[in-house]
Amino acid sequence: MDQPVPFPDRAVAGRLLADRLARMELADPVVLALPRGGVPVGLEIARTLAAPLDLLIVRKIGVPWQPELAAAAIVEGEGESAEVVRNDDVTRLAGLDDATLDKLADKELREIARRRDAYLAGRAPVPTTGRTAILVDDGIATGATVRAALIGLRRRGAARLVLAVPVAPRETLVALRPLVDDLVCLTTPEPFYAIGIHYRDFHQVGDDEVVAMLDAARCQTPEQPER
C-alpha cells in the first residue's frame, strides 16, 4: 500500500525508506545520494544500514545553442574516471561530433570536481565495484538525471543496483525499472504534478547542510578498507 502523503520532511521519508531497505538484507551496501535534496534522505538510510554515504554528482551536457536540451549527461566515476551517457537522438539531430561532446564534457567534469571539493573536501568517491549500490533522491519527476546516474553506476561494476525514492510518477518508474535490480518507492500519487507538493517541509537544502550531513555520516560509519 502506498505511503500517505505529504511526507513531513525528507528525514522522515528517509527513515521510511530505510525500513523497507533493511528488510531486503542487502550485502555490502553503499548509499549514493543525488545532491542536494537526496542527501537528508540518504543519511537516514545510511544510518539504518550502517553503510557509507556518498554523493553521486550528475551534470547535464546541453546543446550549446539550446542549453536546456540535454545532449548527454556526465556521471562522476571512481578515481579520475567519469561516465558520459549520451542522448543519441539529440546529438544526431544537433550534429554534435565526439570532439565537441568531449569539450563540453570536460567543462562539466571540472564543475563536478568543484562540487565534490566543496561538499567533501576532495575526498574520493566510495568504491562501488562488487557492492550493493543504493541510489537515493528525494523524489523523481521526469527521471532524466536518475536514468543517467543509473547507467553510470551500472558501468562502474556494482554487484546489485537499487533505486530508492520516496515518491515518483508510476510511468517514470516503469521506464527506469529495467535499469535496476531492485526498486523501492513509497508512493506513486496520481496526479503527480511536482515532487515538492508531496512534502510538508520541502525547503531548499543548503550547501552547509549537505556538508554537515556528510560529515555526520562519516563519523558514524567505520572507515572502509581500500579496494
Side-chain angles (χ1 to χ4, degrees):
M1 180 181 295
D2 280 354
Q3 175 70 28
V5 290
F7 298 102
D9 56 27
R10 293 179 179 92
V12 170
R15 288 194 289 273
L16 291 168
L17 271 177
D19 288 343
R20 295 271 191 97
L21 291 163
R23 297 177 212 153
M24 296 168 64
E25 299 182 352
L26 301 170
D28 198 13
V30 54
V31 179
L32 299 156
L34 291 173
R36 291 173 289 188
V39 179
V41 181
L43 177 60
E44 300 300 329
I45 295 171
R47 282 172 170 163
T48 298
L49 302 184
L53 174 64
D54 199 3
L55 301 180
L56 187 67
I57 304 174
V58 181
R59 294 286 297 172
K60 179 175 68 176
I61 301 173
V63 174
W65 55 90
Q66 195 173 347
E68 292 306 309
L69 181 58
I74 186 163
V75 184
E76 66 171 334
E78 296 176 10
E80 299 298 319
S81 66
E83 296 287 351
V84 176
V85 180
R86 298 170 58 130
N87 185 337
D88 290 329
D89 290 342
V90 173
T91 56
R92 183 171 56 253
L93 288 171
L96 297 177
D97 57 22
D98 289 346
T100 301
L101 269 180
D102 287 345
K103 183 177 180 180
L104 295 170
D106 284 343
K107 176 184 176 184
E108 298 303 335
L109 191 58
R110 289 195 294 272
E111 178 61 16
I112 285 173
R114 186 195 70 78
R115 291 188 176 207
R116 177 160 284 274
D117 187 61
Y119 291 139
L120 286 158
R123 294 198 294 273
V126 175
T128 56
T129 303
R131 307 183 71 168
T132 298
I134 306 171
L135 183 68
V136 178
D137 205 353
D138 55 11
I140 305 175
T142 66
T145 298
V146 170
R147 177 182 176 275
L150 291 171
I151 292 172
L153 271 179
R154 181 67 77 185
R155 292 175 183 172
R156 280 166 55 173
R160 186 174 179 181
L161 187 52
V162 180
L163 174 61
V165 291
V167 59
R170 191 177 303 275
E171 61 272 20
T172 299
L173 296 180
V174 169
L176 294 173
R177 185 64 183 84
L179 301 178
V180 298
D181 299 299
D182 298 284
L183 193 156
V184 180
C185 181
L186 299 177
T187 185
T188 55
E190 295 293 344
F192 184 81
Y193 296 127
I195 295 169
I197 68 170
H198 304 296
Y199 287 86
R200 293 194 189 97
D201 176 1
F202 195 69
H203 72 276
Q204 181 172 326
V205 179
D207 289 345
D208 289 347
E209 289 180 86
V210 170
V211 171
M213 286 184 280
L214 291 169
D215 286 346
R218 192 181 186 202
C219 291
Q220 294 165 9
T221 305
E223 289 294 325
Q224 298 294 310
E226 294 293 329
R227 291 171 177 257

